[in-house]
Amino acid sequence: MEQRQLGRTGLRVSHLGLGTLTWSRDTDEHEAREQLRDFVEAGGTLVDTSASYADGGAEELIGSLLGDVVAREDVVLCTKAGVRSAASGGGADASRGGLLSTLDASLRRLGTDHVDLWLVQVPDPHTPLSETVSALRLAVTSGRARYVGLSNHPGWQVARAATLLADDVGLAAVEVEYSLLERGIEREVLPAATDLGIGVLAWSPLGRGVLTGKYRRTIPADSRAASPHLAGFVQPYLGSQSLAVVEAVATAASGLDCTPLEVALAWLRLRTPITSSIVGARTAAQLRGSLAADDVELPEEIVRALDEISAPQLGYPERR
């Protein structure tokens, strides 16, 4: 599997990352073990998780597998903080205290003294960005994180954080949703990251599973869209607006004798500003389907057709 430089840092990550959103909830220890083994054997290195996934359960499961299935030094471990769980409902907490205490808890669950990449998961409208950035700086200077970044932040915040960290720590990465069904980052975030030398990690490169084509006719009983805690996550892409893109991907797959999943990932692999696409699979069999996409090459005419049908709407001030 191709290894790519993360922005202008010295960190290299695999162009496919292993997402763990479902681990310890929909993905049990046996399936997680098999996924991690297959991923590393295929040359994968980037393992992406968060303190908020299964309320820390995903991190605990990863921690139990490190040193057993794979050596800690053989993976690039990325986790996120900044989402607070509470009985009254969750919310953003990117305060210095909230972030650093979450990082310490993540390290305990993961069974390691540092993570390779630590991200603030969502913007916090109640905390000054300068305070959030101070926690990122302290995470690096204290040795708890090797590199830091943001996730799901708008372009202006990415640029501002990069400016505040420019003299010493640097902003290594931004993790954002990006796929043929969601290309909104092309308006502001992607140009900012490209200009500032920040690596881009794409989460949900399969459009929350919709680009696999599994929802073209119905909602499978064992799918995320039928899951009580993930149905709302998939629902936005089940409408008519997404249908034309999904059908175009399915048509291309039929002509190339491959799967829609492979077409979607092959298209994203060609988007040069994207360092790594993070694929989350419920089962090891599903993950192997994503790993197989490395063998698919898209003809230029298909790439152009997919570009056109999925192009994001631009308006003022991006286009006048």
Side-chain angles (χ1 to χ4, degrees), residues 211-240:
L211 287 169
T212 63
K214 69 171 69 176
Y215 302 111
R216 293 170 69 198
R217 303 290 179 262
T218 185
I219 296 178
D222 62 347
S223 68
R224 289 182 181 182
S227 166
H229 49 269
L230 289 175
F233 178 69
V234 180
Q235 188 62 41
Y237 293 155
L238 295 181
S240 57

Side-chain angles (χ1 to χ4, degrees), residues 59-131:
E59 290 181 328
E60 288 183 351
L61 183 48
I62 293 170
S64 71
L65 299 177
L66 291 178
D68 180 12
V69 177
V70 61
R72 168 65 183 89
E73 58 268 23
D74 289 339
V75 297
V76 175
L77 197 55
C78 171
T79 194
K80 299 178 283 291
V83 175
R84 178 184 62 252
S85 297
S88 57
D93 182 4
S95 65
R96 182 167 49 246
L99 289 174
L100 293 174
S101 63
T102 301
L103 175 58
D104 290 338
S106 291
L107 294 176
R108 288 193 296 270
R109 287 189 289 264
L110 291 165
T112 184
D113 64 352
H114 75 279
V115 291
D116 300 291
L117 181 61
W118 186 51
L119 309 175
V120 179
Q121 191 163 351
V122 294
D124 179 359
H126 304 295
T127 300
L129 187 62
S130 58
E131 180 179 335

Side-chain angles (χ1 to χ4, degrees), residues 177-256:
E177 183 175 7
Y178 189 54
S179 73
L180 279 161
L181 292 181
E182 178 51 83
R183 294 175 58 186
I185 66 167
E186 293 179 18
R187 290 190 290 267
E188 295 276 353
V189 177
L190 207 54
T194 301
D195 187 67
L196 294 166
I198 300 167
V200 181
L201 308 177
W203 64 262
S204 204
L206 295 174
R208 309 189 186 189
V210 176
L211 287 169
T212 63
K214 69 171 69 176
Y215 302 111
R216 293 170 69 198
R217 303 290 179 262
T218 185
I219 296 178
D222 62 347
S223 68
R224 289 182 181 182
S227 166
H229 49 269
L230 289 175
F233 178 69
V234 180
Q235 188 62 41
Y237 293 155
L238 295 181
S240 57
Q241 189 171 357
S242 302
L243 183 60
V245 178
V246 174
E247 290 302 322
V249 171
T251 299
S254 177
L256 295 172

Side-chain angles (χ1 to χ4, degrees), residues 278-310:
I278 299 168
V279 291
R282 184 174 54 84
T283 67
Q286 290 174 349
L287 177 63
R288 285 191 285 271
S290 295
L291 296 176
D294 260 7
D295 299 327
V296 175
E297 298 292 338
L298 298 183
E300 289 186 10
E301 59 270 23
I302 288 181
V303 174
R304 286 196 298 269
L306 293 176
D307 286 349
E308 290 174 5
I309 199 166
S310 66

Side-chain angles (χ1 to χ4, degrees), residues 1 36 65 81 109 140 145 157 163 209 217 243 251 257 259 263-264 282:
M1 188 181 301
L36 184 58
L65 299 177
R109 287 189 289 264
V140 174
Q157 290 185 326
T163 301
R217 303 290 179 262
L243 183 60
T251 299
D257 194 24
T259 67
V263 170
R282 184 174 54 84

